[in-house]
Amino acid sequence: MDNFPTALFDSYEQDFKQIIDSIRSELDRDGKEGGEERKAALRRVIMDLDEADELISQMVIEIQAIPQSMKQQYQTRLKTAQGDLDRYKKLSKDLQSQSARAELLGRGRVGTPTSDEPYGHISDRSRLLTGTATLEDGTRRLQDSQRVALEAEDQGAEILMNLRTQREQIENSRDTLRTADTAIDRASGTLKKMIRRMYQQRVVTAAIIVVLVLLIAIILWEKLS
């Protein structure tokens, strides 16, 4: 596995581009379809948008670990990806609204109002409620995706803060070890000086003893002779 700090970001970005291409293809085809096929295409677009939103969240987390010297260009790429996602979210929402409105209008033409059934075979109010529920469901999905993205961003910021704290602790420990190492070196030098002086004092003491012994021997020899 590539350990380069941008490897995961690049991988998520590549997956994101593939999903965006798939969304673009679905939306382009949606304009040529109708009925159930159009609904299925919009459902696939919604699922792809949710997956793309999750990839954006992962990219937001990974960009925190990129070195500062490289972060600027990756932030630009992230903003571009977020802009593409927002644009297709808006386009998808507009197409969902158009689809719901077209469905309501189509049902209105099928159910011809009569004096006995002033709202046709299917109540206009029921159709409006159904369309509103569909729009609310799509809005709720978008809000959930946004919430997941914000939670992932908060978690990424918290992880980054913890890593920074641990790094500071490691640096402080390293400084403490360096200080202790310096103190040990100084203490070792002091001990070496003390040992050297001790040996010097022993030599001086031995020399004095030898001189005294010689003096005593000379004095005794002179007295005896």
Side-chain angles (χ1 to χ4, degrees), residues 3 8 22 26 28 40 58 62 69 76 79 81 88 104 106 122 133 137 141 153 155 161 165 202 209:
N3 291 326
L8 281 177
S22 175
E26 292 288 350
D28 290 342
Q58 294 297 326
E62 291 302 323
S69 59
T76 301
K79 289 180 181 179
Y88 282 108
L104 290 176
I122 301 177
D137 182 65
R141 287 175 177 270
E153 185 176 358
Q155 292 176 356
M161 185 177 298
T165 301
R202 286 184 177 181
I209 292 172

Side-chain angles (χ1 to χ4, degrees), residues 111-219:
T112 304
T114 63
S115 59
D116 295 331
E117 295 178 319
Y119 296 105
H121 295 294
I122 301 177
S123 171
D124 287 344
R125 183 173 182 274
S126 298
R127 291 196 294 269
L128 288 172
L129 290 174
T130 302
T132 301
T134 302
L135 292 176
E136 289 178 350
D137 182 65
T139 302
R140 186 173 64 255
R141 287 175 177 270
L142 292 176
Q143 290 175 346
D144 290 341
S145 298
Q146 185 178 10
R147 177 178 54 79
V148 171
L150 292 175
E151 290 177 353
E153 185 176 358
D154 291 339
Q155 292 176 356
E158 184 178 355
I159 292 173
L160 182 62
M161 185 177 298
N162 291 334
L163 290 175
R164 185 179 294 111
T165 301
Q166 293 176 4
R167 179 182 177 183
E168 291 176 354
Q169 291 175 349
I170 292 173
E171 289 179 349
N172 291 334
S173 299
R174 184 174 59 188
D175 292 339
T176 302
L177 289 174
R178 286 178 178 174
T179 303
D181 188 45
T182 302
I184 290 172
D185 289 340
R186 291 178 180 176
S188 177
T190 302
L191 287 174
K192 288 180 180 179
K193 290 179 180 179
M194 292 176 64
I195 292 172
R196 187 166 55 250
R197 289 178 181 176
M198 181 185 68
Y199 284 134
Q200 289 174 353
Q201 289 175 356
R202 286 184 177 181
V203 171
V204 171
T205 302
I208 293 173
I209 292 172
V210 170
V211 170
L212 290 175
V213 170
L214 289 175
L215 289 174
I216 293 171
I218 292 171
I219 293 171

Side-chain angles (χ1 to χ4, degrees), residues 20-33 41 45 88 91 95:
I20 287 297
D21 289 340
S22 175
I23 291 173
R24 185 186 298 110
S25 176
E26 292 288 350
L27 292 180
D28 290 342
R29 188 172 61 181
D30 176 69
K32 304 176 184 177
E33 295 177 344
V45 167
Y88 282 108
L91 181 58
L95 289 176

Side-chain angles (χ1 to χ4, degrees), residues 36-50:
E36 294 300 323
E37 293 181 352
R38 186 175 188 181
K39 291 180 182 179
L42 288 176
R43 285 195 294 268
R44 288 194 295 271
V45 167
I46 291 175
M47 289 188 294
D48 287 342
L49 286 172
D50 290 341

